[in-house]
Amino acid sequence: CSSIASVLASMKNDVNIEARPFVPSDTECFWECNGCRSLPFDSRARGSVVFSVGEPSMDKVEAHLKNCTGGKPLAISRSSTIEPYYGEGVPTIKIKRNSSRSKRSSRSWGRKSYDVAAVNAGVEDIPLCFNDDQQYTTEFAYFIVKQLKKCYLTKAGGSRGACPVGFPGLACGWCAGKPNERRFFYTSADHLRNSFSHIPSHLSECKACPTAVKERIEELKVFRNSQKSQLRPGEVVCFRFAFSLLIF
């Protein structure tokens, strides 16, 4: 792909930057795009930060590089919203930029603040795990994560009082958008791991979830403990990976 080649070429031409497309970040097991890591997250193409025990696989690298703009910020930042505009003599849309988010440093990985008016009430159909991630967890956990989609908190308070409106979370991919849909919000990877059982419990009762999926969950439960015992220490990382995708 010419866009991928141009990004790689631009990195090689800079003597101060390594030639690898993704390099280790300041946080263990997280890798950043070598071409756009100097930009704020909001100004980079999606997928500029990935979780991987070793060097990221080529499918993760290429998924980002095909949209990466290198050291140039995105023409429209990812926090911008496009609104209809009906004035005379102007374009039929206008772009509203959230300046507070676009000023974030690429090293500021703490909790974000969110523009309530720009919160997406739906879900994002982006992958939360990839095929090569199966080696780091059990089939059960991997299959459960495959049933989820990224969503955002639209109401504050209650049991989710620690999360601001707009905070990213996980939604059941089968009942999302339907009455009584189920969403899950976690403040850390450890929180996600310790409360993970709530998700398969919901799937087993979800009226929108296909019977075949429910049966597969029950089948994989049988092998979960034996598979987990075969993993090396630190390899059960699907929770940290899924949480990293929510935040970044």
Side-chain angles (χ1 to χ4, degrees):
C1 175
S2 59
S3 60
I4 295 177
S6 62
V7 172
L8 293 175
S10 66
M11 290 190 287
K12 290 181 179 179
N13 290 335
D14 191 331
V15 295
N16 296 316
I17 300 178
E18 317 182 37
R20 288 185 296 176
F22 271 67
V23 295
S25 73
D26 295 336
T27 304
E28 184 181 3
C29 294
F30 286 89
W31 298 69
E32 287 188 276
C33 172
N34 202 3
C36 62
R37 63 191 306 234
S38 61
L39 300 173
F41 286 118
D42 212 35
S43 299
R44 309 183 196 177
R46 188 177 296 279
S48 66
V49 177
V50 300
F51 177 87
S52 181
V53 175
E55 288 208 29
S57 61
M58 285 308 299
D59 62 333
K60 294 179 184 178
V61 172
E62 292 177 356
H64 169 70
L65 291 185
K66 67 182 181 182
N67 297 312
C68 181
T69 56
K72 298 179 181 180
L74 294 173
I76 301 176
S77 64
R78 286 163 51 191
S79 66
S80 300
T81 55
I82 298 178
E83 304 173 347
Y85 193 80
Y86 303 104
E88 295 182 2
V90 296
T92 56
I93 62 171
K94 64 177 181 179
I95 299 170
K96 182 179 180 181
R97 290 181 170 82
N98 185 342
S99 58
S100 62
R101 290 184 64 184
S102 61
K103 292 178 181 179
R104 285 173 47 82
S105 165
S106 63
R107 294 286 174 252
S108 300
W109 287 16
R111 183 171 300 181
K112 301 176 183 179
S113 58
Y114 299 88
D115 181 356
V116 176
V119 172
N120 178 6
V123 297
E124 292 185 5
D125 193 13
I126 61 172
L128 294 179
C129 51
F130 298 85
N131 290 336
D132 60 332
D133 297 314
Q134 295 183 64
Q135 62 185 308
Y136 300 122
T137 189
T138 62
E139 287 185 78
F140 175 80
Y142 179 81
F143 185 75
I144 295 299
V145 173
K146 293 283 282 186
Q147 313 308 312
L148 305 173
K149 295 182 182 296
K150 184 176 180 178
C151 67
Y152 299 91
L153 184 63
T154 56
K155 294 181 180 179
S159 60
R160 299 165 180 169
C163 303
V165 171
F167 192 77
L170 299 167
C172 170
W174 299 106
C175 64
K178 298 180 173 63
N180 301 317
E181 66 175 358
R182 187 67 189 275
R183 298 188 176 202
F184 308 87
F185 295 90
Y186 305 98
T187 54
S188 69
D190 287 337
H191 185 194
L192 171 58
R193 182 184 68 247
N194 295 333
S195 303
F196 187 70
S197 60
H198 296 165
I199 299 176
S201 295
H202 162 73
L203 289 169
S204 65
E205 300 175 354
C206 179
K207 294 181 179 179
C209 182
T211 301
V213 172
K214 295 179 180 179
E215 291 177 346
R216 184 58 177 162
I217 290 174
E218 294 303 315
E219 291 173 0
L220 294 176
K221 277 183 182 179
V222 177
F223 307 103
R224 175 177 50 181
N225 290 336
S226 61
Q227 289 180 349
K228 191 172 181 179
S229 65
Q230 295 172 13
L231 295 171
R232 293 181 297 178
E235 282 195 333
V236 186
V237 298
C238 71
F239 307 106
R240 292 179 65 189
F241 177 66
F243 188 75
S244 72
L245 283 173
L246 292 180
I247 298 302
F248 301 121

